[in-house]
Every structure is written in C-alpha cells, then in structure tokens.
Amino acid sequence: MSIIVIGLNHKSAPVEVRERVSLSRPQIIKHSPVVRDIPSLSGCAILSTCNRTEIYCNTDNIDQAIQDIMDLVAQRSGFSIEELRQYIYIFQDEEAVKHLFTVSAGLDSLVLGECQIQGQVQDAYDIALQEHLSDSIINTLFMNALTVGKRVRTETQVDRQAVSISSAAVEMAKAFFGALEGKKVLVLGAGETSELTSRHLVSNGISSIMVANRTFERAQWLAEEIGGQAVRLDHLQSFLPTADLIISSTASPKYFIEAKDLAPHIQRRQDPLLVIDIAVPRDIDPAVGDLPAVTLYDIDDLQTAVNRNKAYRAKEAIAARDIVQEELEDFLFWLDTLWVIPTIVRMRDQLEEIKEKEIRKALNRIDHPSDREIKIIEQMANGIVNQWLHTPMTNMKRLAGRRINEIDCYIQAINDLWDLKS
C-alpha cells in the first residue's frame, strides 16, 4: 500500500503544456470509467486547475501504477511519455501526502496563500467520491488535506493581504473610504487588469461602476460582465463629477486625464475623490494629485503595498508550514497503524470464538438460567475479552505509528504465538 502523486504545475511546465494535460470536471467524469478499470490503482483522485494537474493514487504496485497513469496522460494529451517526463514530478508516500497538504494550504500556489485552491481540492474529492474512484485511504487523505487548508486559513493570515496590483488597488480604496458600499467608480480601460480590478470591486460591495474605453464595444462587454454602465469617451467629462473613485489602466501613450480636465469639476466638489493610476506609462497627470480634495496613487504606491503584503504572507507561511507538518505527522501515524489492523481483527475474532464457546459451556451447567443470569455471564465474558485486548491493541497501534520498521516482527510474533489464521 503506497500513496503516490503524478503531476505537473506552473513551476514544472509552461502553460502550453499544462493546458493540454488539464482536465475539466466533465472530462474527469468522462474518463472515470477508464481510471476505475486500471488494476494497479486501489483508489484515485484527480486535481486539475489552470496551474496544476495532479493524480493521487493508492496502489500496491507503484511501478505499474506510474506506468498506467503516464500512459493515460500521454494518450489523452498527445504528448509522448518521453516528452512528459521533463515536466512531470512523482512523489511517494510521505512526500506525496506532504505535497497535497502544502497545496491545500495555498503554499504551492502561484500566489502564496491563495484560497481558491481549497475549493478545488474539495471538488477533486467530491468527484472522486461521486465517480467511485477513491478508496478509504484516498478519502482520508483528502479529508485531512481539507482540514489542513481550513486550519491554515483560520489560524494564520497567509491569505489576508492583497498581493496583486488589481486587488491592492481595491484594498487601498477600502482603506481610504472605510467601506466601498454606495461609492461610484469610474474604470478607465477594459483590458485584463481593468477586468480583474472591476471584479474585485464588485466582490467588495461596489454596485455602481462606469467603464470607459477607447473601443466602446469592449467597454460594453466589460460593463455587461460586471453589471456596470459603458461610457463613451466623448461623454467622459459629464461623468467625472459623479465619481468617488477613478481607477485607470489603459494602454494610452499619453495622459488620459490631465489636471486641467479635472480641475473645473473639483472646484464644485465637497466629497473627497480618490484616483488610482495602475497604468504604465501613467494615464493620470501627476498634477492631478495637487488638486484640492483629490488623492492620487500610482503603480509605485501599489507595488510598495504589494511587496509589503508579500513579505507579510511569507512570514505567515512559516506558521502555515508548521500546521502542515503537524497534520502530516498525524496522518502518517494513522497510516502506519493500518498495518496492524488485520492482526487485531484476527485476534478479536479468535477471542470472540473462544468467548462464545465458553459462554455456551457455562450456560449448559446451569439448570434453566434466567435472562438476568444469561446477561450477567455474557457481560462478564465481554468485559474480560475487551479488557484483555485493550492493552495489546493500543500498544500495537502505538508501535506501528512510531516504530514502523519493527512492526513486521511484532506482527509475525503475534501470529505465530496465537496461531492466527491469515
């Protein structure tokens, strides 16, 4: 019995490789019958995201299981096994368990501490259960991995500070206003950064977003995606006075907004205006920051915050790794105790057989035993068996968990001394 993981991720393979190997939920379900029929696998679960595809297995034949999985991945992706080997990593037993726990904790993610992976591990476990891919070992492995992820996010703050420019911009706005609910936002640009920023804004309570872009159709698309309003550039001046927050990320080669454009609107303004420029080259004239009631941040301000937050997450990751190690040791202890379970079962079966025989002999010596007498005899016999088994069972599990290299000798001795049948 061994746990192995065969996979690739953002650190071992470029995106053009990862996208050919990755599996969507429908694809995992589609291939489940094939995976179930692989004789070398006792249990299996498949974790596939945009940054990783990993297959976790429980097997009694490591070499054959690795070959079978490699064949399956090669056949589906179109890569040869030789091509895959330069990107694939294979971990076994303790390394495999520690890897999954580290993944679930968000410590192996592209963004340290990201919490989305917790849900992806849960999805992988749910599919494995639904499609009858997993066994008791894989089930327990993934349940413990989810516990690790939950503990890390509850007991540390490794996922609390923004570490992307778009999320940092929103966090900065929250800190400036105290809360974003009810604020009106004007987003300049409709590219990837503006899209990510807009989605962060919506998830933080913003319900009024205006999107302006050089290509109006793109502004319309983004506005529809986030439930906002598209604004034509030639109408931009009329929307400037109503905004509480302006976030700009365009590809303009010159300033998108100059101080002279904004100054007439600021003179009549009483509420503060926050302007965040996350474009390179800059979209907002630096002189805008000198206008009354206006606070201007640029990408250098955000990058400073991001770097500070990354350092904070790295510090919190130390405590997260301690949790991973603690849970790893507990899981390995449980795994080791499984070696003695068959022997314990045979011990109990043998004693149960002896107990039942002796109870019958005792009752045959009593003329017409009452229900109370029968119950007393059965309780006494059960008590003797349970008390006698308790110490050796406890010690066997303890030895298996702490001295696994010696446990085979103990098991063999017990089987020989008790003449236990396999």
Side-chain angles (χ1 to χ4, degrees):
M1 176 185 65
S2 289
I3 296 173
I4 60 172
V5 56
I6 302 170
L8 51 77
N9 62 16
H10 58 281
K11 293 184 284 188
S12 72
V15 64
E16 58 266 24
V17 174
R18 299 199 307 272
E19 65 188 8
R20 285 174 60 179
V21 173
S22 68
L23 291 161
S24 64
R25 184 186 183 96
Q27 288 172 330
I28 295 174
I29 293 172
K30 177 183 176 181
H31 287 86
S32 289
V34 176
V35 177
R36 279 198 304 268
D37 289 341
I38 298 177
S40 62
L41 307 183
S42 300
C44 179
I46 301 171
L47 173 62
S48 191
T49 73
C50 58
N51 283 326
R52 73 180 66 248
T53 295
E54 296 173 341
I55 302 174
Y56 292 84
C57 309
N58 179 34
T59 179
D60 291 323
N61 189 335
I62 296 173
D63 292 339
Q64 188 60 53
I66 292 173
Q67 184 62 52
D68 290 339
I69 292 298
M70 292 289 284
D71 287 343
L72 186 65
V73 174
Q75 180 182 4
R76 191 204 159 273
S77 67
F79 288 114
S80 68
I81 290 179
E82 289 69 28
E83 289 174 316
L84 284 173
R85 288 192 189 281
Q86 60 184 312
Y87 305 113
I88 291 284
Y89 46 80
I90 301 173
F91 301 134
Q92 178 182 340
D93 295 326
E94 181 174 344
E95 277 191 313
V97 176
K98 186 173 185 178
H99 179 74
L100 178 58
F101 286 7
T102 302
V103 167
S104 187
L107 301 178
D108 193 57
S109 298
L110 184 61
V111 176
L112 180 65
E114 65 99 358
C115 54
Q116 187 179 8
I117 188 64
Q118 175 85 349
Q120 293 164 335
V121 172
Q122 180 72 62
D123 287 343
Y125 176 48
D126 290 343
I127 295 173
L129 284 175
Q130 171 190 313
E131 299 301 315
H132 306 290
L133 295 176
S134 57
D135 61 2
S136 61
I137 300 297
I138 295 298
N139 288 341
T140 306
L141 171 66
F142 270 74
M143 286 190 291
N144 279 262
L146 291 167
T147 297
V148 170
K150 183 177 180 180
R151 282 193 60 193
V152 165
R153 287 162 183 84
T154 302
E155 299 174 27
T156 77
Q157 296 188 10
V158 72
D159 62 337
R160 305 294 169 83
Q161 304 291 332
V163 290
S164 69
I165 292 297
S166 57
S167 58
V170 176
E171 289 299 319
M172 191 169 282
K174 283 177 65 177
F176 181 85
F177 290 111
L180 294 181
E181 289 82 356
K183 301 300 178 184
K184 294 183 179 180
V185 183
L186 173 59
V187 175
L188 303 179
E192 181 180 356
T193 302
S194 293
E195 180 185 349
L196 288 172
T197 305
S198 299
R199 294 189 187 280
H200 282 304
L201 287 166
V202 171
S203 66
N204 280 274
I206 290 291
S207 57
S208 178
I209 299 181
M210 298 167 285
V211 181
N213 191 61
R214 290 189 183 278
T215 305
F216 184 65
E217 289 74 19
R218 178 68 185 180
Q220 284 182 308
W221 175 86
L222 179 55
E224 289 175 3
E225 285 288 306
I226 60 174
Q229 176 186 357
V231 175
R232 294 186 181 277
L233 284 185
D234 52 359
H235 296 162
L236 183 60
Q237 291 291 329
S238 62
F239 288 92
L240 289 175
T242 65
D244 300 297
L245 168 63
I246 298 174
I247 299 182
S248 187
S249 178
T250 76
S252 175
K254 59 182 183 179
Y255 294 142
F256 209 80
I257 294 181
E258 297 188 22
K260 62 182 178 63
D261 300 322
L262 200 55
H265 308 294
I266 296 303
Q267 293 174 356
R268 303 188 298 272
R269 188 182 183 94
Q270 294 183 351
D271 296 328
L273 171 63
L274 176 62
V275 181
I276 301 178
D277 185 356
I278 54 180
V280 178
R282 288 177 292 179
D283 285 335
I284 310 297
D285 178 2
V288 166
D290 297 327
L291 296 174
V294 176
T295 300
L296 172 64
Y297 294 125
D298 62 21
I299 196 165
D300 283 348
D301 298 314
L302 292 174
Q303 191 61 58
T304 298
V306 166
N307 291 339
R308 182 174 62 248
N309 292 345
K310 285 182 177 178
Y312 181 83
R313 284 198 178 196
K315 182 180 178 182
E316 289 295 296
I318 297 173
R321 294 187 190 282
D322 289 341
I323 293 173
V324 168
Q325 187 61 35
E326 180 184 327
E327 293 288 341
L328 173 65
E329 291 172 3
D330 287 347
F331 179 81
L332 294 177
F333 184 94
W334 170 80
L335 201 61
D336 288 341
T337 62
L338 297 183
W339 289 98
V340 302
I341 297 300
T343 298
I344 290 174
V345 169
R346 289 195 293 270
M347 290 170 63
R348 178 170 287 281
D349 287 346
Q350 188 182 91
L351 280 175
E352 285 291 328
E353 186 177 337
I354 294 171
K355 181 196 74 175
E356 292 299 327
K357 183 172 67 175
E358 293 303 315
I359 288 175
R360 287 195 299 271
K361 286 170 61 177
L363 292 177
N364 287 336
R365 294 174 185 156
I366 302 174
D367 292 332
H368 308 296
S370 65
D371 290 342
R372 182 173 180 275
E373 290 171 328
I374 293 173
K375 185 175 181 181
I376 290 173
I377 291 173
E378 289 177 343
Q379 288 177 339
M380 180 186 68
N382 287 330
I384 292 172
V385 168
N386 291 335
Q387 289 187 50
W388 197 94
L389 274 175
H390 176 75
T391 299
M393 285 169 54
T394 301
N395 287 337
M396 284 178 69
K397 290 181 179 180
R398 177 179 56 82
L399 289 168
R402 297 177 183 172
R403 298 166 68 177
I404 191 62
N405 294 333
E406 303 174 20
I407 195 61
D408 284 345
C409 297
Y410 287 99
I411 291 175
Q412 188 60 51
I414 291 171
N415 287 333
D416 290 343
L417 290 170
W418 282 40
D419 192 23
L420 297 177
K421 297 177 182 179
S422 298

